[in-house]
Every structure is written in structure tokens, then in C-alpha cells.
Amino acid sequence: MLGLSPTFLFLLSLPLTALSQANLTDGDTDTCNPAHNGLATGTLQYNSDCNATTWCSGGSCIAKGCRRDEFPLGYPTGDNQKKKKDIPLPDKCNTSQFCPDEGSECIDKIQVGQPCQLDRDDSCVGPDNFQQLRDNTGHGLNVNGSICLNFVCQFANITAGSQCEVENVGYVAYGVGNTEFVNVVSRDNCMVGLYCDSNTTVCIQQKDIGAGCNADKECSTYNCLPNQVCGKNLAESRHFGTWVYIVIGVGIFGGMIATLVLLFFIHGRKREDEREKRLQYWREQNAFRQNIMQMHETARASIFSTPGSGSRRSQLYGVTTEDSQVPMLQHAAPPPKSSGLRHYVAEDTASYEGGNENEHLVMRAPYTHDNKI
């Protein structure tokens, strides 16, 4: 165990973080100050005077010699390669080496008890029984049974009831309304399923869901609720009962059927409205035609059918025989056929009204020039 406390080491790194905060990691520069290399305030991310594709070596920024990520920050990929200058992508290190935060070159992994960079568990050599000690929960407790704790490589192999070591690191986080608060991450070298109590520095079995807690590390799910009770794992998928799927299915099909029925009635109402409009139109047209026919009959009756009055031709020539009413053109062409539309109107009107007392006027032959004087 180390004699230096975690708080002292954290305060020791603050001057470096303050200097590195003013530097631009994505700027283009060829010179740098090694004293500015350090962890950024709040995020504790490595920072220097050089940009994302170079590192500071002896006052000069040179291209990085290794990378940790598959797609590291600052390197052009895809279509961006045409827009930016060609920057060679460094290689990733093999399993026996690691790439430090500055990205200088691949280095052999660090032995237990040697200094390491913050949270760089992957830089430490794993134990022989790493398969039993490695973290498979996805909470990032260790890498292959090794952990960089308080800037020193250690094995996460402390059993329950044994003395352990704790590392508490504070990160700046932001809440509602852009309010800042400190999120403390507590790590230890206990085996998976245990946690190191900060008061007694002894490894204790983690608690199940529903048990009381004061920190996330005390719960097996790493989720201590605001009411200080261990809750479910946030990464755990939620499963619903069969009745939920039945209700959803019935709701979907019920909504579809209700929509179809509603559309049917709406369209039916529109069809009825259109039919009523057409029927009213034909009734008006038929009424207009009947009025015209009545006017014609009245005029004809007043001229030809007045009692005691003869035809105009009889008065002129003194002929009052029956043949006087015969047209002058015996072989005149027959009157043209009536329009089919009139017969259609008469039939349509009869179908809607069940017959019309003036139907004989509709079916009557149209008035032609033969009837004129």
C-alpha cells in the first residue's frame, strides 16, 4: 500500500490541469511546453499544447505513434479525408503492450506496484488467474483482474473481510438548468461482488435489490436510488407480461376496425348528400320544363282552341273544313326524336318519387316547327 493519500495526489495534479485548460487540443502548433501536460479540470482528460494528432516531446509537437480507439479523435475518415490533409493513422498496440494517454508509442504493460496513469487499468499486467478476477459485469471494475488504483497498478484480488484500498475521484457533472455538481467515482481493489467500505477499509459483500445503501458501489446492480435503496440495474432490459402485448394488439386491431367503420359511415353520408343534390337538381329541371310546357299549352290554347274562333287560314280563305287543320307540308320530314336525356330524367324521377302525375308531360314528344303558325 502507498503512503500518499488519494486526495494529496489529486491536489498535486491541479496545477497541471489549470495550465492545460487554456490550451487548445485541436489547434495547429509545432511547439509545446511539457509543463502544460496534464489532466483537464473537471473531465480529468489528458491535455497538452499539441493538437489531437500530435504529442509534446521535448518542446516539439510530433505525430502520435499509437492509438487506443478504433476511430480516434482528430483523424479524417471517409469523406473527410478529401477535405483535410492526409494524416497517417497510427497502429493499435498488441495485447502485451498499451498506448499511453499522450500517444507517443506502444509500451510494455506495467508490473504490479509500478506507477500508472489515471484509470488506465489496461496498462497493468494481469494476474495468472485473470479469468477468475476479471470484471464481466460491464461496470468497468478492472481489466483482466488488474486495476490502476491511486496511480499504481494492483490486482483486484482482495477477499471479503480483508483490508482494501479505496480511490475516490471527483468529476464535474451538469444537472438541470446547467447546474454543476461533483460526481464522485469510488473504486477499490476488492474482488468482483465485493466493495471496500470507506470507513473500515474492509471488503464487504455487495447488497441485493431492496437493501439499504449509501453509494452505488454498495449495490450489486451499482444503482443506489435517491431513497437509499438498491434498485435494478440501469442496463437491464425490461420485460412486460403477456397481457400487455395482448392489450396492445387488441388496441391496434380495434383502432383499425373502428377507423374503417367510421370512414364507411362518413363516406355513406357524403354519398347520400350527393344523391340528394342530384335528385334536387333533376326535380328543378323537370319543374322548369313543366312550366315551359304549361306556358306553351296555354299560348296554344289561346290561339287555336278558343271556342267560336276559327283558324287564321279559314278566316282568310273562307274555308272551315276539317282539312284546314292539316299541315301544309304533307310530306314533311318526321319530327326529330326526343333527347335521351329527357327520357332518363323521367325515369330517374319516377325511380325516386315512385311515379309523377306530370310524367306524361315529360314523355310527351317535344314541340317542333310543325306546330308553329
Side-chain angles (χ1 to χ4, degrees):
M1 304 297 176
L2 295 178
L4 296 177
S5 64
T7 305
F8 176 77
L9 293 174
F10 178 73
L11 294 176
L12 186 63
S13 64
L14 288 180
L16 297 177
T17 61
L19 292 173
S20 61
Q21 181 66 22
N23 300 331
L24 298 176
T25 56
D26 56 352
D28 294 330
T29 180
D30 295 331
T31 60
C32 60
N33 185 355
H36 294 171
N37 297 343
L39 303 178
T41 304
T43 62
L44 301 184
Q45 184 180 6
Y46 182 83
N47 201 1
S48 68
D49 293 337
C50 302
N51 57 25
T53 61
T54 59
W55 69 287
C56 184
S57 176
S60 300
C61 294
I62 60 177
K64 290 185 177 182
C66 62
R67 60 186 171 96
R68 296 175 54 191
D69 302 324
E70 187 68 27
F71 302 100
L73 179 67
Y75 291 90
T77 57
D79 296 337
N80 293 330
Q81 292 180 347
K82 301 178 182 179
K83 301 178 182 179
K84 297 183 180 181
K85 59 183 181 180
D86 187 14
I87 302 177
L89 188 67
D91 297 330
K92 296 180 68 175
C93 302
N94 55 39
T95 56
S96 62
Q97 295 180 323
F98 76 99
C99 183
D101 289 343
E102 59 270 17
S104 56
E105 59 180 352
C106 292
I107 304 175
D108 293 337
K109 289 190 174 182
I110 304 172
Q111 298 294 327
V112 175
Q114 299 298 319
C116 56
Q117 295 174 327
L118 179 66
D119 289 345
R120 291 301 307 272
D121 299 344
D122 60 322
S123 66
C124 302
V125 175
D128 296 335
N129 59 341
F130 69 93
Q131 294 182 350
Q132 300 177 358
L133 300 178
R134 65 169 39 166
D135 174 34
N136 296 321
T137 63
H139 297 299
L141 303 180
N142 62 66
V143 175
N144 291 330
S146 299
I147 182 174
C148 181
L149 197 66
N150 294 321
F151 301 97
V152 175
C153 284
Q154 302 183 34
F155 291 153
N157 58 354
I158 306 301
T159 59
S162 302
Q163 292 292 321
C164 54
E165 186 175 346
V166 180
E167 177 191 60
N168 295 322
V169 179
Y171 297 87
V172 176
Y174 299 90
V176 180
N178 203 27
T179 57
E180 294 185 0
F181 65 94
V182 179
N183 181 29
V184 179
V185 177
S186 180
R187 309 181 71 206
D188 53 62
N189 55 352
C190 296
M191 296 181 63
V192 177
L194 307 176
Y195 75 95
C196 185
D197 185 81
S198 301
N199 297 325
T200 61
T201 63
V202 173
C203 289
I204 303 176
Q205 185 70 34
Q206 289 181 327
K207 303 174 182 179
D208 296 330
I209 298 177
C213 59
N214 294 317
D216 291 337
K217 68 176 182 179
E218 299 181 8
C219 304
S220 59
T221 58
Y222 280 86
N223 182 25
C224 185
L225 300 177
N227 58 353
Q228 295 184 342
V229 175
C230 291
K232 294 182 178 180
N233 191 343
L234 296 178
E236 181 181 354
S237 58
R238 296 188 60 183
H239 300 280
F240 299 95
T242 307
W243 66 272
V244 177
Y245 296 96
I246 295 176
V247 171
I248 293 175
V250 171
I252 292 175
F253 286 103
M256 294 173 59
I257 295 174
T259 302
L260 294 176
V261 172
L262 180 61
L263 292 176
F264 175 79
F265 283 106
I266 292 176
H267 292 171
R269 182 61 181 272
K270 290 184 177 179
R271 287 195 301 268
E272 291 296 332
D273 294 341
E274 293 297 328
R275 174 192 278 177
E276 185 64 26
K277 290 180 181 178
R278 290 195 299 267
L279 181 58
Q280 183 178 1
Y281 171 78
W282 293 119
R283 287 174 178 172
E284 292 177 354
Q285 296 300 317
N286 190 28
F288 293 156
R289 185 178 182 279
Q290 291 178 6
N291 292 335
I292 295 174
M293 293 298 295
Q294 290 177 359
M295 292 173 61
H296 167 69
E297 291 295 335
T298 303
R300 183 177 180 180
S302 63
I303 296 174
F304 298 103
S305 302
T306 302
S309 64
S311 65
R312 187 176 182 183
R313 185 169 55 182
S314 300
Q315 295 176 359
L316 291 176
Y317 297 98
V319 180
T320 59
T321 61
E322 183 179 357
D323 295 336
S324 62
Q325 301 297 328
V326 180
M328 297 178 64
L329 298 177
Q330 297 291 336
H331 303 284
K337 295 182 179 181
S338 60
S339 173
L341 178 60
R342 297 179 179 178
H343 294 280
Y344 171 77
V345 172
E347 294 175 359
D348 183 75
T349 305
S351 63
Y352 282 115
E353 299 181 357
N356 194 317
E357 58 181 1
N358 296 322
E359 184 179 358
H360 65 282
L361 295 177
V362 179
M363 299 298 295
R364 184 180 180 135
Y367 175 68
T368 62
H369 65 276
D370 293 336
N371 301 113
K372 297 181 179 178
I373 297 175

